Amino acid sequence: MDESFKTIEFIDNTLILIDQRLLPQKVEYFLCKTFLDIEFAIRDMVVRGAPAIGATAAYGVYLAAYEFQSLEGSQFEKKFDEAITFLNNSRPTAVNLVWATKIMKEKYESVKHENKNRVLEILLHLAHTIKEDDIAINKELSKIGSSVVPQKATILTHCNTGALATAGWGTALGIIKTAFYENKEIFVYADETRPRLQGARLTAWELQQANIPSTLISDSVAATLIRDGKIDVVILGADRVASNGDVCNKIGTFMLSALCKMYHVPFYSAAPVSTIDFAMKSGGEIIIEERDAREVTFIGTEQIAPTGFNVYNPAFDVTPHAHVTGIITEKGILRAPFNESIEQLRISLQK
Ligand code: MRU
């Protein structure tokens, strides 16, 4: 069963994004006609979630090529490369962004001898493919991941990893939906996910639409539920997985993983292979995005902290691989020792 909304759609040379800043109170769409619009949409979190950011950025690369099409040779390439760098810097942590822009750039390099219209056609086709593939990958990953969900399981999830965070269907939330449609009689606790409240605003909205029995909790409730044996499994997403299995994900993930380790609750991260950064040796190398203090000092338009008070607002944290039970991908579930299972995956992808 698919969602009634589309996260990302490309019509009439315009990328149409459901505006995630306004959900669930308002369902409105944000139109991107230029690569600058795309950069803004990613940076301001009109669109968010690693795979959704990747697919959006792919269209950004196409729109940059479209905008600069009247420029010749090296002038075009200079502007095109600048646009890609600009897109890459819009949010630094989710690897899917640079993964998608790199594929687009490599495709450009391989077809640039063709006439300009043909090059644009090929780039647009590739952006569509990245988006469509993401949906298929999520469905595959969800089928595989559902195997870790026991009958009648109570699942805890964090942030939003559903159709909104991807081109469609979702990763961790995709697994949860799949288990539900397989009649597993599950129950879900969704963390509100301070400070941007992706859990309260987006996951709760998606769970409600799918009619999945669920309850919203403030982030600090998770410890009590886990200690009291109320959670059978934690399943959440990833923004970047290092080659040793360290998982970078929404701030608060590390804290959950430590609780799971302490109370022997299985802890799974769900991520498409495009979220694995094979070049990164460990999570310590990952650049963690720090966001505006206003996300913490305000709730919506309401100021809650004293004006001028210092704020530390990292958007992500790194969970050490020793806390991770498994990383669920479309190619199977990676397990410890992660440096070996991830290396085997890397080799199999090259064949
Ligand atoms: O800051 P966000 O909302 O982009 O962070 C999203 C997450 O951390 C998700 O867990 C991750 O991107 C996986 S989405 C399938």
Side-chain angles (χ1 to χ4, degrees):
M1 210 185 290
D2 283 326
E3 288 71 29
S4 56
F5 60 90
K6 285 211 161 51
T7 309
I8 299 168
E9 227 180 343
F10 194 81
I11 302 173
D12 291 341
N13 233 38
T14 304
L15 188 70
I16 305 171
L17 299 169
I18 193 164
D19 193 336
Q20 302 193 33
R21 297 169 305 176
L22 307 177
L23 287 171
Q25 270 72 30
K26 287 188 201 151
V27 181
E28 285 181 11
Y29 291 86
F30 184 90
L31 306 187
C32 302
K33 290 181 184 294
T34 66
F35 81 88
L36 291 176
D37 294 339
I38 299 250
E39 192 275 343
F40 172 83
I42 296 173
R43 183 167 35 87
D44 211 49
M45 295 175 69
V46 172
V47 63
R48 31 64 53 204
I53 291 171
T56 300
Y59 285 103
V61 175
Y62 159 75
L63 282 175
Y66 181 82
E67 272 169 74
F68 300 133
Q69 61 180 304
S70 62
L71 300 177
E72 287 310 322
S74 62
Q75 258 196 320
F76 171 88
E77 297 210 344
K78 182 170 176 286
K79 288 285 192 188
F80 187 57
D81 287 350
E82 278 171 11
I84 291 175
T85 306
F86 191 57
L87 287 166
N88 285 348
N89 290 336
S90 54
R91 289 196 76 190
T93 303
V95 72
N96 305 60
L97 199 173
V98 281
W99 169 85
T101 59
K102 183 164 175 269
I103 296 178
M104 293 291 286
K105 169 75 172 158
E106 282 168 0
K107 179 58 86 179
Y108 166 77
E109 289 297 336
S110 68
V111 299
K112 64 182 182 186
H113 56 276
E114 306 259 2
N115 76 55
K116 280 194 173 160
N117 284 341
R118 183 73 190 122
V119 171
L120 288 175
E121 210 174 86
I122 292 170
L123 288 181
L124 182 56
H125 182 261
L126 180 56
H128 289 327
T129 305
I130 289 173
K131 174 172 84 88
E132 292 305 319
D133 280 0
D134 183 55
I135 301 171
I137 285 168
N138 292 336
K139 291 197 169 162
E140 188 55 33
L141 173 161
S142 295
K143 265 192 266 163
I144 294 170
S146 176
S147 65
V148 309
V149 178
Q151 182 61 248
K152 293 190 192 307
T154 297
I155 305 163
L156 176 70
T157 192
H158 191 63
C159 196
N160 172 265
T161 57
L164 289 167
T166 60
W169 190 249
T171 59
L173 198 53
I175 293 170
I176 291 170
K177 284 188 286 184
T178 301
F180 176 70
Y181 294 130
E182 287 171 353
N183 297 319
K184 286 203 171 157
E185 297 177 50
I186 57 167
F187 186 89
V188 180
Y189 282 105
D191 277 355
E192 63 169 349
T193 318
R194 281 282 292 151
R196 290 290 292 225
L197 302 172
Q198 290 93 331
R201 297 188 303 103
L202 310 176
T203 301
W205 191 64
E206 288 199 46
L207 285 167
Q208 188 173 54
Q209 292 194 23
N211 283 317
I212 300 177
S214 39
T215 288
L216 179 64
I217 53 170
S218 68
D219 297 331
S220 5
V221 175
T224 304
L225 289 174
I226 291 174
R227 182 203 58 198
D228 293 349
K230 300 272 171 55
I231 304 297
D232 297 306
V233 56
V234 169
I235 312 176
L236 39 67
D239 288 85
R240 197 182 283 248
V241 176
S243 60
N244 68 344
D246 289 351
V247 171
C248 180
N249 190 50
K250 178 52 55 196
I251 191 76
T253 301
F254 170 46
M255 196 162 67
L256 287 173
S257 77
L259 286 160
C260 285
K261 185 83 181 162
M262 190 169 176
Y263 291 101
H264 310 290
V265 173
F267 177 94
Y268 288 95
S269 167
V273 168
S274 56
T275 302
I276 301 175
D277 188 343
F278 294 100
M280 198 151 273
K281 287 200 178 71
S282 79
E285 293 172 39
I286 299 172
I287 296 171
I288 304 289
E289 175 186 9
E290 278 187 42
R291 294 189 62 86
D292 202 296
R294 202 188 149 95
E295 291 184 346
V296 180
T297 55
F298 279 67
I299 295 186
T301 53
E302 188 84 11
Q303 183 171 347
I304 49 166
T307 306
F309 204 78
N310 276 343
V311 168
Y312 174 48
N313 184 22
F316 303 97
D317 59 27
V318 175
T319 292
H321 58 86
H323 290 186
V324 179
T325 311
I327 300 169
I328 303 164
T329 78
E330 72 274 23
K331 300 286 182 196
I333 304 179
L334 303 167
R335 293 188 189 270
F338 287 105
N339 52 0
E340 285 175 20
S341 55
I342 292 176
E343 177 60 6
Q344 267 163 22
L345 172 66
R346 191 187 67 77
I347 292 166
S348 73
L349 292 172
Q350 284 174 338
K351 283 180 189 155

